[in-house]
Amino acid sequence: MIRDLAREFVRRGHQATVLTPSDCIAAGLEIADEDGLRAVRVKLANLKKINKPLRAWRESRLSSNLWAGAGKFLRQNPHDLVIFYSPSIFLAGLVGKLKKIWHCPAYLVLRDIFPKWAVEAGVIGKGMAYRYLRRHELSQYAVADVIGVEAPGSLQYCANDPTLKNHCVEILYSWAESYKSPSRNSRDRDRLGLNGKTVFFYGGNIGVAQDMDNIVRLAENLRHRDDIFFLLVGDGSEVPRLQSEIVARGLQNLKILPPVPQEDYLEMLAQFDIGMVSLDRRLTSHNIPGKLFGYLNVCMPVLASLNPGNNLAELLHQANAGIAVENGNDQALRDAALRLGDNLDLRREMGANARQMLEKKFSVQAAADQILAHFISARSERTA
């Protein structure tokens, strides 16, 4: 999402820099020009394939470590606006420093309301860890001049939080850059032995908030259907446990693959039939997972198992771009999967609608317009 937004700024004649940690680069700092976009990568330890306490520690050091690695570059290359994305909640220190030395505003793209969802999902209690994380959550709000949440439900959460009552908060829908869908080859179908099968595809984070046991149970409920297969591609804290669960249940219709490069992922998407979204029923936030936009772009109908009240259900139904059921209702999810799996015409109709939904509702152009409107008008007033 951030790459797509930055590329849109470049197309409009702005200079855009994306600063990001990476455990894949050889040097401590890597600066690259990627089609006019300047990508600045700071070598840091992996943040995902580790236990939760170690991840929390490493993320808590993000601001200081990014500054240590790229501080000289950042001092020498001032910008007019900082856009930062949450998660992570640990970037307030860096953003505050950049605002001070650059004399510029900041826009927070708030997607996961953390640690709230972690409490709801039973990952942590409301003890010392929660209070520590909540303090960092509030710090990121304090340093932001404008906060963009992704759904009406999240806007209501912010309206009810007394710490946010004086902040400028608005709905900023998530976005994706529309691109021409890759050719529908069958390379991965051939490699995985999936020719002739209807493949339900999930791509992205495989963690607690996603309730992937939901998909494991669905696969088990449809194990008698040799023509239906479930393919998960991604990484996260739940992968080792789920791999063991698949073996223990003897499921031959469900497979988890590690993440692949973006270009390969888009090619893979285009080969399969139905995109899946899953969110734990205990969540009260209304986030729209980024994985959705890949599905929409390649004309995939969506099968979504969502927490109650999630605004995505209404969006899918209004656009007739997929089927959404309440997470935890295994029978409803099974029925919806069969409805999509057994009806090619329905998949084609919903898939076409999915692409239209992306272009009308979630365009990167609209997101760029909305963000820049706050600051271009303010800057014009200051220089008038």
Side-chain angles (χ1 to χ4, degrees):
M1 286 176 59
I2 294 299
R3 179 204 61 185
D4 290 349
L5 182 64
R7 289 172 62 173
E8 176 62 21
F9 291 149
V10 169
R11 280 191 289 270
R12 297 178 182 211
H14 301 289
Q15 182 183 78
T17 300
V18 174
L19 174 67
T20 181
S22 174
D23 64 334
C24 300
I25 61 174
L29 179 68
E30 179 182 276
I31 302 172
D33 183 289
E34 300 179 1
D35 298 323
L37 165 65
R38 186 163 52 185
V40 178
R41 296 180 173 89
V42 178
K43 187 172 181 62
L44 296 180
N46 186 278
L47 293 172
K48 288 191 175 181
K49 299 177 182 178
I50 51 178
N51 61 52
K52 292 183 179 68
L54 182 56
R55 177 173 179 175
W57 166 250
R58 288 181 178 175
E59 283 209 37
S60 72
R61 302 289 298 162
L62 263 180
S63 281
S64 57
N65 286 340
L66 286 171
W67 178 256
K72 181 179 179 181
F73 168 87
L74 295 170
R75 284 189 180 278
Q76 294 173 349
N77 293 273
H79 290 65
D80 300 310
L81 172 64
V82 177
I83 299 171
F84 66 116
Y85 183 99
S86 180
S88 170
I89 63 170
F90 294 104
L91 292 174
L94 177 62
V95 173
K97 188 183 291 286
L98 294 178
K99 287 182 64 176
K100 184 177 180 180
I101 65 173
W102 291 347
H103 306 288
C104 73
Y107 191 108
L108 168 60
V109 180
L110 179 61
R111 286 306 172 251
D112 283 351
I113 298 177
F114 182 84
K116 179 174 177 283
W117 75 256
V119 173
E120 294 168 349
V123 177
I124 61 173
K126 280 200 168 183
M128 186 168 61
Y130 169 79
R131 292 192 294 272
Y132 171 76
L133 295 170
R134 172 69 169 161
R135 188 164 67 249
H136 281 279
E137 178 196 3
L138 297 179
S139 295
Q140 68 177 351
Y141 301 154
V143 80
D145 295 273
V146 184
I147 301 171
V149 298
E150 65 180 328
S154 298
L155 190 64
Q156 187 60 47
Y157 164 80
C158 293
N160 293 334
D161 189 332
T163 61
L164 286 167
K165 65 180 180 180
N166 295 322
H167 283 69
C168 178
V169 184
E170 64 181 6
I171 295 175
L172 175 72
Y173 282 116
S174 293
W175 62 86
E177 182 179 337
S178 297
Y179 52 83
K180 184 178 179 182
S181 296
S183 58
R184 293 185 178 274
N185 62 59
S186 61
R187 182 183 65 181
D188 293 293
R189 276 188 176 271
D190 295 341
R191 177 173 63 88
L192 298 169
L194 298 177
N195 286 318
K197 295 182 183 290
T198 299
V199 178
F200 290 77
F201 182 91
Y202 175 95
N205 189 51
I206 301 176
V208 176
Q210 287 72 42
D211 183 23
M212 302 306 289
D213 290 284
N214 184 45
I215 295 176
V216 172
R217 293 194 304 272
L218 177 60
E220 187 166 36
N221 287 334
L222 295 177
R223 67 192 309 162
H224 64 286
R225 290 290 299 263
D226 293 336
D227 59 327
I228 289 177
F229 195 88
F230 296 88
L231 180 62
L232 316 183
V233 177
D235 206 352
S237 61
E238 289 288 274
V239 170
R241 186 185 64 79
L242 291 171
Q243 294 281 27
S244 299
E245 195 70 22
I246 292 168
V247 173
R249 298 186 186 214
L251 298 179
Q252 302 297 316
N253 62 341
L254 172 60
K255 189 177 186 67
I256 303 177
L257 297 178
V260 296
Q262 180 73 359
E263 295 77 13
D264 295 339
Y265 177 75
L266 297 176
E267 258 192 32
M268 182 178 280
L269 270 182
Q271 297 173 52
F272 299 120
D273 304 291
I274 299 149
M276 290 186 295
V277 173
S278 181
L279 291 171
D280 193 291
R281 62 187 175 278
R282 294 170 291 183
L283 303 177
T284 60
S285 54
H286 300 267
N287 63 311
I288 298 174
K291 63 180 65 64
L292 174 73
F293 306 116
Y295 304 158
L296 303 184
N297 216 123
V298 297
C299 303
M300 261 189 177
V302 179
L303 175 63
S305 174
L306 302 173
N307 50 313
N310 192 304
N311 302 123
L312 177 56
E314 183 180 359
L315 291 171
L316 287 173
H317 291 157
Q318 285 178 346
N320 192 30
I323 303 174
V325 303
E326 189 170 302
N327 178 271
N329 189 336
D330 288 359
Q331 184 61 49
L333 185 61
R334 179 183 183 277
D335 292 345
L338 287 175
R339 184 181 169 202
L340 285 167
D342 290 339
N343 192 329
L344 177 59
D345 289 338
L346 179 65
R347 296 201 300 271
R348 287 174 174 167
E349 177 187 355
M350 286 187 167
N353 292 338
R355 176 69 187 214
Q356 292 179 20
M357 178 181 174
L358 173 69
E359 294 172 350
K360 292 178 180 178
K361 199 80 175 179
F362 301 112
S363 75
V364 69
Q365 293 84 6
D369 286 342
Q370 186 174 335
I371 292 171
L372 291 177
H374 289 283
F375 307 108
I376 290 179
S377 58
R379 189 169 61 183
S380 298
E381 291 172 3
R382 289 197 302 268
T383 56

